[in-house]
Amino acid sequence: MARTKEFDPDAALQSALELFWRRGYEATSMSDLVAHLGVGRASLYATFGNKRELYLKALERYEQARLPEMVRELSRPGPALPGVRALVRRYADEAAADGPRRLGCFVTNTAAELAPHDPAAARQVERNWDHLESVLHSALVRARAQGELPADRDPLALARMLLVLLQGLRVVGKVSADPGRARDAAEQALALLD
């Protein structure tokens, strides 16, 4: 008879995500995970696979928790630009704030740490960015159709610029002591929507 798991895999995955997000992939050992999660090494391997597989599952969980919120924000009926502006300003405010947001974005952190040499991580990062770009693009197409965005503006190019800005804000927010840097950059980018 198979033994039942002595831990909650969902809670363990969330806890692993938080540890990886705080410390990064390379700085987190399997021993760190065992200690932090309070789960035996064999149980972790049996449930999640190796450290890399656990990391990729944590990244997927992070995406699944955050992307739907952005889709809702940018897909609300009515004017589209207020949602886009609010999203960009929220990223800038988070980049300028002290506290847990100084961890940056788990996807952005993965892009910098793992994606250059890990094809699976790179695919997950690209998928996340493609999704965010698509949501921004859709909102900007709606904004142009509703007369909020000048007709000569390219919604796809603007969506790509905003995607790069949002990722850059996450990087700057991790290390910059100057809150004006992120906020000024965001406002200059938003001026392109006028």
Side-chain angles (χ1 to χ4, degrees):
M1 174 187 279
R3 221 175 95 184
T4 58
K5 293 198 184 317
E6 299 172 5
F7 69 99
D8 178 357
D10 189 57
L13 182 58
Q14 182 61 37
S15 191
L17 186 162
E18 292 163 5
L19 185 62
F20 281 131
W21 194 2
R22 190 169 59 250
R23 298 185 65 189
Y25 178 78
E26 293 297 332
T28 304
S29 69
M30 203 59 175
S31 296
D32 295 332
L33 288 161
V34 167
H36 183 75
L37 304 178
V39 176
R41 185 180 299 261
S43 294
L44 279 178
Y45 281 117
T47 303
F48 300 110
N50 61 28
K51 180 178 106 168
R52 181 177 164 276
E53 290 168 322
L54 176 55
Y55 184 93
L56 294 175
K57 286 175 183 160
L59 178 59
E60 187 173 333
R61 179 186 188 91
Y62 176 87
E63 295 173 271
Q64 290 170 347
R66 281 157 181 78
L67 280 175
E69 177 187 332
M70 286 184 217
V71 169
R72 277 191 303 277
E73 287 178 23
L74 296 176
S75 301
R76 289 190 177 113
L81 279 186
V84 172
R85 290 180 189 285
L87 178 70
V88 171
R89 287 184 176 126
R90 188 178 82 227
Y91 269 63
D93 288 345
E94 289 171 359
D98 286 330
R101 290 296 182 188
R102 297 295 276 199
L103 297 173
C105 167
F106 195 43
V107 174
T108 307
N109 296 350
T110 301
E113 184 181 12
L114 286 181
H117 55 82
D118 186 322
R123 280 190 301 276
Q124 278 189 247
V125 167
E126 280 293 328
R127 185 181 65 233
N128 177 276
W129 288 349
D130 287 346
H131 193 119
L132 180 53
E133 180 183 294
S134 175
V135 172
L136 285 165
H137 180 232
S138 293
L140 293 167
V141 165
R142 271 188 26 245
R144 191 170 70 176
Q146 294 172 170
E148 301 170 71
L149 189 64
D152 66 341
R153 301 295 159 79
D154 179 352
L156 180 58
L158 286 171
R160 289 179 169 173
M161 181 271 304
L162 290 174
L163 170 70
V164 171
L165 171 75
L166 296 176
Q167 297 310 299
L169 287 172
R170 293 299 199 205
V171 172
V172 168
K174 285 183 69 157
V175 296
S176 180
D178 180 359
R181 182 173 284 145
R183 289 189 177 118
D184 288 348
E187 291 306 316
Q188 287 301 305
L190 289 176
L192 297 173
L193 303 179
D194 295 330

